[in-house]
């Protein structure tokens, strides 16, 4: 995206009063400037797209994002470590970013389910909760698959009510949004914001 397109996306987020606008790390300051004074949070990414950055790098990314005005961090779990059974290392990696956030930002952990079997998804969810993160999330958009109903049910059942579930990837219509919400999804990452919410407005118009 060009900077003009990023700005237009932030303006659309404000117009539709969505929960947050997720931008590239380098664009957090721009987004914070546009969305300051609105109810829309500024989010960015940590460890994209495969979660394989060193923990210190993820911490630096988180701290820089907070300094630039982000209040939400979408962090990719270390997929290779999770698949290798290195659960303690995965937990420590997440905990470091949660500490860096210091309660000033929500931390959402992306499992990237397309690369995991069900047992790995369950372990990932439980590690995320034990590390103190706020959300488990299905996907980055870089992998072959996105959110599925089966995965969302599994993730919702795997964590306590304290941890929320975010669906990302493939939710492009109002009906799809309502379907994922029906199984306990609290957030949806979407590129079709205007299409979805215009449909909702038209269906609920007096």
């Amino acid at each position: 995206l060009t900077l003009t397109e990023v700005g237009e996306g932030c303006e659309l987020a404000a117009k539709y009063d969505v929960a947050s606008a997720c931008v590239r790390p380098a664009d957090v300051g721009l987004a914070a400037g546009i969305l300051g004074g609105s109810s829309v949070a500024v989010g960015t990414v940590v460890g994209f797209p495969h979660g394989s950055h060193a923990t210190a790098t993820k911490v630096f990314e988180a701290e820089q994002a907070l300094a630039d005005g982000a209040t939400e961090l979408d962090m990719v779990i270390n997929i290779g470590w999770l698949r290798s059974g290195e659960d303690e290392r995965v937990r420590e990696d997440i905990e470091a970013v949660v500490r860096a956030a210091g309660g000033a930002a929500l931390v959402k952990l992306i499992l990237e389910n397309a690369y995991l079997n069900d047992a790995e998804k369950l372990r990932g969810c439980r590690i995320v909760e034990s590390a103190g993160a706020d959300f488990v999330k299905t996907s980055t958009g870089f992998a072959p698959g996105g959110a599925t109903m089966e995965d969302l049910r599994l993730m919702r059942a795997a964590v306590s009510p304290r941890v929320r579930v975010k669906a990302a990837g493939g939710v492009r219509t109002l009906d799809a949004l309502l379907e994922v919400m029906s199984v306990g999804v609290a957030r949806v990452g979407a590129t079709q914001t205007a299409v979805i919410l215009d449909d909702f407005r038209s269906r609920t118009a007096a």
Side-chain angles (χ1 to χ4, degrees), residues 135-165:
F135 277 81
V136 286
K137 179 177 170 182
T138 57
S139 328
T140 62
F142 284 79
T148 68
M149 293 300 294
E150 293 78 11
D151 280 352
L152 293 169
R153 290 188 186 96
L154 180 150
M155 293 165 73
R156 181 63 274 167
V159 293
S160 75
R162 182 191 71 77
V163 179
R164 289 172 280 176
V165 177

Side-chain angles (χ1 to χ4, degrees), residues 178-190:
L178 295 173
E179 184 179 22
V180 299
M181 288 175 63
S182 74
V183 296
V185 168
R187 286 280 193 97
V188 172

Side-chain angles (χ1 to χ4, degrees), residues 55-184:
T55 299
T57 302
K58 291 180 179 178
V59 168
F60 176 82
E61 287 184 309
E63 292 172 342
Q64 184 65 56
L66 291 171
D68 290 342
T71 56
E72 298 196 355
L73 304 172
D74 286 29
M75 171 185 170
V76 187
I77 204 166
N78 191 309
I79 303 165
W81 284 359
L82 179 64
R83 295 183 63 227
S84 300
E86 295 287 337
D87 293 14
E88 186 62 18
R89 295 179 74 188
V90 173
R91 184 183 60 77
E92 290 173 353
D93 189 51
I94 299 167
E95 283 181 336
V97 172
V98 171
R99 282 195 302 272
L106 292 176
V107 179
K108 292 172 271 176
L109 258 293
I110 303 168
L111 300 184
E112 200 66 291
N113 289 341
Y115 299 133
L116 306 176
N117 60 38
D118 284 353
E120 290 163 344
K121 294 167 196 172
L122 282 169
R123 281 183 25 246
C125 284
R126 290 165 181 160
I127 294 167
V128 167
E129 177 156 16
S130 70
D134 301 289
F135 277 81
V136 286
K137 179 177 170 182
T138 57
S139 328
T140 62
F142 284 79
T148 68
M149 293 300 294
E150 293 78 11
D151 280 352
L152 293 169
R153 290 188 186 96
L154 180 150
M155 293 165 73
R156 181 63 274 167
V159 293
S160 75
R162 182 191 71 77
V163 179
R164 289 172 280 176
V165 177
K166 181 175 177 180
V171 181
R172 300 186 180 93
T173 67
L174 177 59
D175 288 333
L177 174 64
L178 295 173
E179 184 179 22
V180 299
M181 288 175 63
S182 74
V183 296

